[in-house]
Amino acid sequence: MTSPTRFLLRTAAQQWRPMVVGSLVGTAWLLSQAVLPAAIGRAVDAGVVEGDSRALTRWSLLVLALAVVTAWAAIVRHRYGVTNWLTACFRTLQQVGRHTARAGTALTTRLPQGEVLASIASDGPRLADAFDVTQRAVASVAAVTVVAVLVLRTSVPIGLVILVGVPVVTALLLLVLRPLQERQRLHRKLSGELTSLGTDTVRGLRILRGIGGEEVFLDRYRAKSQQVRAAGVRVAAWESGLEALQVLVPGLLVAALVWAGARSTARGETSPGDLVALYGYAAFLTSPLRMLVEAADKYVRALVAARRLTTLLEVPPAVTDDGTAGTPGGALADPDSGVVAEAGELTAVVCDPPEDAAVLARRLTRFDDDTRATFGGVALRRLPVHEVRARVLLAEDDAQLFSGTVREQVDPEGRHTDAQVMAALEVADARDVLDLVDGGLAGTVTERGRSLSGGQRQRLALARVLAREPEALVLVEPTSAVDAHTEARIAGRLRTARAGRTTVVATASPLVLPQVDRVCWVRDGHVVARGRHADLLARDPGYRRFVTRDTADLPTPRTAPSAGGQA
C-alpha cells in the first residue's frame, strides 16, 4: 500500500526542477529582507552617529540594492509558486482521471461516487497547496538561521533568545495542528458522504417524485448537511485559534527580542545602529514564523488529501490490459450462459429475470475480467482492451448525454459527415430532436439532456452507438422508453442498418423480437432454448408467457374453501 507521504514525494519528484528553482528564488527573497536590518543598522552607526556621508551613501545604496532584489525575487517566487501549485494540481487530477477511466465500475463499487467527486474537487487543490508553500518554508528556515547568526554576532544573549524562542514558538503552534488534523479528516469524510447522498438523490429525483419520497430524501440530505456544517464550524474554530496564535506567540517573541535589545543598548553593550537592526530583525521574524506555521498547516491538509487520493488510486481496475492476441472477428459467445451470437446476425437475448441481461451484456463486452466470453473463438481476455473497445461496443439502457450540440451527441469525436450523422438519427428515429432545438445539428442539448424526454434521450444515445458502426454491438433494452409505433420503426431500421454485422439485443419486446434472426431464451443465467421468435412462441409455453405477459397458460391458484363450504 502506498503511504500518503510516499505519494507526496513521488509527485514532488515529477516536478523537482521548478520546486528547486522556486525554493532558491524564495530563499533569495527572504535573505535579502533578513540582511536588510543589518545594512540599515550600519548606515545608522557609520553614517548618522559617526557623520560619515560616504559611508551613509554606500550603505544606502546597498539598502536600495537589497530592496530591488527583494522586489524581483518576490515576483519570480510568486510565479514559481503558482507554477508548482498548478502543476501539482493538474497532475493529481490527471492521475485521478486516468485511474477512473481504467478502473471503470470497480471504482464506484468500492467507493461512493461522492468520494470520487470530492477527491477531484478538493483533494487535488489541497495537495497542491503543499507544493506552493514548500519554497516559502525552505526560505523561512534559511532566513531564521541567518538572522540568528547575525544576532549572535551582535549579542550572544539576544541571539539565544532567537535560537531558543523560534523552536518553542513552532512547537506550541504545532500542538494545535494535531486536533485540527482530526477535525479536518472528519469534515472531509462527511463532505464526501454528503456529495454521495446528493448525487444519488439527483439521479433518482424523478422516481422519488413519482413515489412521493422526495421529502424523505430532502430531510435526510438536510440532516447530513447539518452534520457537515457542524464539523466545518469545529474546523473553523481551531483554524481561527491557530491564526490568533500565529500572531500572538511570534509577537511575544518579537517583544522579548526588542526588550532585550533596548536594555542592551541602554547598558552600552550595543550601539544605536545595532538596536535599529535588532528591531528590524524582530519585525522581520514574524513573516518567516507565520510561513513555517502555514506550511505545517498545509502539510497536514495535504496529508489528509493524499490519504484519500491513495485510497482512490489503489482501487484495482476491473479490466487488466494484458492481452496480446489478435482475431479477425466472428461469433460473440458467452460460455457461462451458453449465449452465442453468430457473426453477421441480429440476435436477441431474452432473460428471466430481466436484470440478468445487464450482467450478461457486460460479460459479452469484457467490462471486467470475470468473463470467459469469446469473439471469433478467441477469449476477450486475450485481446488488448483498446481492441475490444474498438470492435465490441456495449450500449446500456442508462447511457449519458453531455452538454453540447446535437451533432456532438451523435459524433463526439467529429469523425463522420453530416449525412452519416443524419443516417444514424434516422435509424434511431431521433430526427424529431432536431425540431426541438434551434440550429439543427448545431442546436444545443443541455447537460444530461434535461431538455429532452426520456425516450428522446434514449434514441439520441442509440444514434450515437450506431454511428460508430462497430464490428459487434450489444444493446441493452434500447427501446424501453419509447412508444410502440416508434419501437416498431426502430426495430425494422436496426435490422437493415446492421445487416452483415454482429448485433445482440437484450430485450423482451414483442415488437423487436420478430425482426431478429435468432433468439436465445435465458432462464436463471442459462440458455434453455434457441430459435426464431415465432418457433419459440409455438413450442415453449414459458417463453410465450414471459414475452406476451399472458397469464392464461398459468395454472389456476388453489384457493382455500369458504367458511360455509365443505372441506
Side-chain angles (χ1 to χ4, degrees), residues 28-29 32-33 36 60-76:
W29 169 60
S32 61
Q33 299 177 63
L36 186 62
S60 298
L61 289 175
L62 179 58
V63 170
L64 177 62
L66 290 173
V68 172
V69 172
T70 299
W72 171 83
I75 295 172
V76 178

Side-chain angles (χ1 to χ4, degrees), residues 525-540:
H526 300 282
V527 173
V528 295
R530 291 187 180 87
R532 295 190 63 83
H533 172 64
D535 296 336
L536 291 177
L537 284 177
R539 72 171 187 260
D540 193 316

Side-chain angles (χ1 to χ4, degrees), residues 22-315:
S23 297
L24 291 176
V25 176
T27 301
W29 169 60
L30 279 188
L31 287 184
S32 61
Q33 299 177 63
V35 299
L36 186 62
I40 295 175
R42 293 300 300 162
V44 170
D45 283 341
V48 177
V49 176
E50 298 179 7
D52 187 346
S53 60
R54 289 188 176 183
L56 179 61
T57 301
R58 288 197 303 270
W59 287 109
S60 298
L61 289 175
L62 179 58
V63 170
L64 177 62
L66 290 173
V68 172
V69 172
T70 299
W72 171 83
I75 295 172
V76 178
R77 180 210 61 79
H78 180 71
R79 180 181 179 86
Y80 274 95
V82 174
T83 298
N84 286 318
W85 188 92
L86 289 174
T87 303
C89 185
F90 284 124
R91 276 186 173 153
T92 302
L93 296 182
Q94 283 177 340
Q95 289 186 66
V96 173
R98 289 167 182 166
H99 184 73
T100 301
R102 287 195 303 268
T105 54
L107 198 62
T108 51
T109 301
R110 295 275 296 272
L111 297 172
Q113 288 185 357
E115 187 67 27
V116 180
L117 293 174
S119 293
I120 295 174
S122 62
D123 289 338
R126 287 187 177 181
L127 188 77
D129 286 341
F131 293 83
D132 171 38
V133 79
T134 293
Q135 58 194 28
R136 283 179 282 153
V138 172
S140 297
V141 172
V144 170
T145 303
V146 169
V147 168
V149 172
L150 292 174
V151 175
L152 279 173
R153 293 184 61 182
T154 303
S155 171
V156 174
I158 299 176
L160 291 177
V161 172
I162 296 179
L163 291 178
V164 176
V166 170
V168 171
V169 168
T170 306
L172 288 174
L173 294 175
L174 290 178
L175 289 176
V176 184
L177 291 178
R178 182 173 294 275
L180 176 61
Q181 180 182 5
E182 296 299 324
R183 284 160 175 78
Q184 287 173 342
R185 185 181 298 115
L186 176 61
H187 182 253
R188 170 66 181 78
K189 177 176 178 292
L190 292 174
S191 297
E193 293 175 355
L194 179 64
T195 305
S196 298
L197 179 60
T199 302
D200 294 340
T201 303
V202 170
R203 291 184 64 182
L205 192 57
R206 292 190 177 187
I207 299 175
L208 291 175
R209 287 174 175 171
I211 63 176
E214 186 177 1
E215 287 298 325
V216 175
F217 273 81
L218 181 61
D219 292 340
R220 186 179 301 175
Y221 184 87
R222 185 182 293 112
K224 178 64 71 174
S225 178
Q226 290 303 310
Q227 293 181 17
V228 175
R229 183 194 62 80
V233 169
R234 289 192 293 270
V235 170
W238 279 89
E239 287 182 340
S240 61
L242 179 62
E243 288 290 330
L245 289 176
Q246 283 182 276
V247 176
L248 175 63
V249 180
L252 293 176
L253 177 62
V254 169
L257 188 61
V258 172
W259 178 79
R263 285 179 57 85
S264 177
T265 303
R267 291 194 301 265
E269 298 174 356
T270 56
S271 66
D274 291 334
L275 178 61
V276 172
L278 287 173
Y279 181 78
Y281 296 143
F284 165 75
L285 279 176
T286 59
S287 179
L289 287 177
R290 284 179 62 87
M291 290 180 191
L292 287 173
V293 177
E294 178 192 2
D297 180 34
K298 288 189 175 180
Y299 286 147
V300 168
R301 292 170 178 265
L303 284 173
V304 173
R307 186 175 291 109
R308 309 300 299 188
L309 287 169
T310 52
T311 301
L312 185 151
L313 294 174
E314 287 176 349
V315 175

